[in-house]
Amino acid sequence: MEAAPVNIVQYFDGSKQGLIPLFQRPYSWEQKDWSTLWDDLMAQYEAEDRASHFMGAVVTVPIKSVPVGVTKHLVIDGQQRLTTLALLLMALRQKAQSLGDDSTAGIIGDLLVNRHYKAPDDLKLVPTQVDRLAYNALVYQKELLDFEESRVVQAFRFFCKRLDSVDVEDKPIQASTVLQAIQQSLQVVMINLGEADDPYLIFESLNHKGKPLNQADLVRNYVLMRFQHSTSSGGEQEAAYEELWRPMETRLGSAMTDFLRHYTMRGGRNVRKGDIYSASKTELEKLKDSAAVTTSLQEMKKSALAYDKFLRPSEESNGRIASRLQGIQELDSTVFYPLLLRLYRSYEREEIPLDEVLRGLDLLEAFYVRRLVCGVPTNALNKITLELCLNLPEDNPSTWLADRLRQGSGSRRCPGDQEFANALVTQQIYPRRKIARYMLIALEEAHEHKEPVDTATATMEHVMPQTLTEQWRTALGNDFAEIHEQWLDTLGNLTLTGYNSELGNTTFEEKKSKLQNTHFELSRSLLTEEAWGPTQIEARGHRLSELALKRWSLS
């Protein structure tokens, strides 16, 4: 390993090529980063005696077995700095050309391109695939219309705008003086690894000064380093990235990190958010060769596509599965995702039938809903899920799951039918509005109308209103305050309607009049009541609890 301080522009001198490896993230510097570099450069632009400005380290490793063409190195660290400097040079070249300064433009051109070489040896710096087309268009000054959303183009535009401004003396910025400031002041420590050094171990141990890598970045980097790098297209590493990893990143976006956490938990291991990389590495480092890593990545990709359906249930082609996945989202019961990955992938591999995965989903929802309604603490759910993942059998998993869920006790228990039914009648459910609305919609749908109502825009309505008028106090009697406190937010006093703003705290008779034409069965059942008070609320609660026991059954 060799390390020495050099002016960063020296990296672009001579016939050479630096390749940003696939395991690096795409270009990610933002305006605040560009502004910092620009301000630092302008301080040297305006100084009479220029001082060195240290920008950090650039770490490279020579690419083995390159018999022809320019000398090539992988840029293990420093890609953000090198790419930003190249983009600044491109903007500076354009400025020089507009001023008729052909000399400066020519010098910069030689810093960007190996003039006497053709592709793939032409560029001094080759970004990772995501940025390559936009970067090439900038280097060769081609049309940028298709790349305006690219971060590299945005950086180029930023520097062009700054170069069109004035200095502290209100004089136009001179391209040649900016180039001199770059050449004389911007300095890095250039670390050149030997061919025997392991680039990933170096990469992993570096103290990054730029954008911190998230857990998904680290996993991607480790995975891709398990494949042989190639300087030409279609190599082993590029194929793994384009065919297996990139589709996952594209589909899941910012959810990639959460997916990797849930994926590594599917076998029953507890993985905290900061331990995703180490857990993934532990799983992958057991694989002996790139063929085994490929097989593992293929399964990961299929699981990622399944996970995308968990996030976007409308993408699921089976309507019954889609409705249950939607329920998981609405209930915010995503703690079950590791177990669901196991069930869903078994279904996709045709190891279990459709009914098995549907029953599994129903059991998990019933378990979750019963616990919420009965006030069982949720802090044990993660541990419960991991135990289920660890012991889930391949054959008849739903039968095993039903038995296992019923066996829990204490904070792990699943409330039985009687406890659940009693809680539905007496517990204040409205304050937990998400679960309350979900349950009301589910109970409405349980009536199985031939022409189902649209529940998407339905709102919850208190039959006995939240604010009692004098008429309501009179109707409820002397104990109106106690009745109101005890029964207001219980299931029996809640319904669905599209008339919420109209009903308000009107009398019960007025509410019935406005509900005459309602298509919601939960509200239509109110029309047969003569009065509304604790007796009617409790009786309706019992009726709804009978429906709920069927809807969220554990049998």
Side-chain angles (χ1 to χ4, degrees), residues 127-138:
T128 193
Q129 262 83 344
V130 175
D131 302 316
R132 196 165 295 175
L133 290 177
Y135 183 89
N136 288 2
L138 285 168

Side-chain angles (χ1 to χ4, degrees), residues 40-86:
D40 292 339
L41 182 61
M42 284 298 99
Q44 301 304 321
Y45 174 91
E46 293 151 1
E48 292 185 7
D49 295 317
R50 294 193 177 107
S52 296
H53 177 75
F54 182 64
M55 296 179 64
V58 174
V59 183
T60 64
V61 61
I63 296 177
K64 304 173 185 177
S65 302
V66 182
V68 295
V70 298
T71 302
K72 294 178 171 62
H73 290 77
L74 288 181
V75 180
I76 304 301
D77 189 43
Q79 70 130 326
Q80 302 292 331
R81 292 180 285 276
L82 289 176
T83 305
T84 304
L85 179 61

Side-chain angles (χ1 to χ4, degrees), residues 215-446:
Q215 293 288 305
D217 292 329
L218 292 170
V219 176
R220 179 196 64 232
N221 298 351
Y222 178 77
V223 167
L224 292 177
M225 280 301 293
R226 294 296 303 272
F227 296 94
Q228 183 177 356
H229 178 83
S230 174
T231 58
S232 59
S233 61
E236 188 179 80
Q237 190 181 83
E238 182 177 343
Y241 174 70
E242 292 291 348
E243 297 171 14
L244 298 173
W245 189 271
R246 189 174 183 180
M248 292 191 284
E249 283 189 326
T250 301
R251 188 69 68 91
L252 293 179
S254 61
M256 185 69 183
T257 299
D258 286 336
F259 160 69
L260 288 172
R261 177 170 178 254
H262 290 139
Y263 184 73
T264 52
M265 292 170 68
R266 72 196 186 286
R269 176 180 179 177
N270 187 29
V271 179
R272 295 175 298 179
K273 290 184 178 179
D275 296 335
I276 297 169
Y277 164 62
S278 59
S280 299
K281 182 180 177 183
T282 298
E283 185 172 324
L284 290 164
E285 66 185 0
K286 298 174 184 177
L287 306 176
K288 295 182 178 180
D289 52 35
S290 59
V293 178
T294 297
T295 300
S296 179
L297 269 184
Q298 288 169 341
E299 174 57 31
M300 183 187 288
K301 177 185 174 183
K302 291 174 182 175
S303 295
L305 298 181
Y307 194 86
D308 183 56
K309 295 177 182 178
F310 302 171
L311 304 179
R312 297 185 292 172
S314 60
E315 297 294 312
E316 169 57 47
S317 59
N318 185 287
R320 289 189 289 171
I321 293 179
S323 66
R324 287 158 174 83
L325 294 178
Q326 186 64 43
I328 287 177
Q329 279 202 344
E330 293 182 17
L331 290 170
D332 197 22
S333 53
T334 56
V335 67
F336 296 127
Y337 277 174
L339 182 61
L340 185 51
L341 278 171
R342 293 279 303 280
L343 287 170
Y344 191 87
R345 285 294 297 128
S346 293
Y347 161 67
E348 286 191 320
R349 291 192 294 265
E350 299 183 349
E351 296 169 355
I352 61 174
L354 173 63
D355 288 346
E356 274 290 300
V357 73
L358 291 174
R359 188 183 180 210
L361 287 165
D362 286 341
L363 286 167
L364 292 174
E365 182 176 312
F367 180 67
Y368 192 79
V369 168
R370 286 179 178 232
R371 287 170 58 91
L372 281 180
V373 171
C374 296
V376 182
T378 60
N379 54 6
L381 282 174
N382 187 60
K383 191 170 291 186
I384 292 170
T385 300
L386 292 174
E387 291 177 357
L388 295 174
C389 286
L390 182 62
N391 297 290
L392 187 72
E394 295 181 2
D395 297 327
N396 302 315
S398 67
T399 300
W400 176 88
L401 186 59
D403 292 339
R404 195 61 172 257
L405 293 176
R406 286 192 292 260
Q407 291 171 10
S409 59
S411 63
R412 298 171 179 243
R413 80 183 193 280
C414 182
D417 288 356
Q418 193 59 56
E419 182 184 359
F420 183 44
N422 291 341
L424 287 168
V425 175
T426 61
Q427 292 298 311
Q428 306 285 321
I429 193 174
Y430 182 75
R432 290 165 290 174
R433 299 191 184 188
K434 183 177 289 187
I435 178 66
R437 187 174 187 277
Y438 182 81
M439 291 188 70
L440 287 171
I441 290 174
L443 295 175
E444 177 67 33
E445 293 172 348

Side-chain angles (χ1 to χ4, degrees), residues 163-187:
L163 287 164
D164 284 337
S165 61
V166 294
D167 61 20
V168 291
E169 297 179 357
D170 287 332
K171 295 180 180 179
I173 290 176
Q174 296 299 308
S176 58
T177 308
V178 175
L179 180 60
Q180 290 172 7
I182 292 173
Q183 292 172 321
Q184 296 171 10
S185 300
L186 299 186
Q187 195 172 77

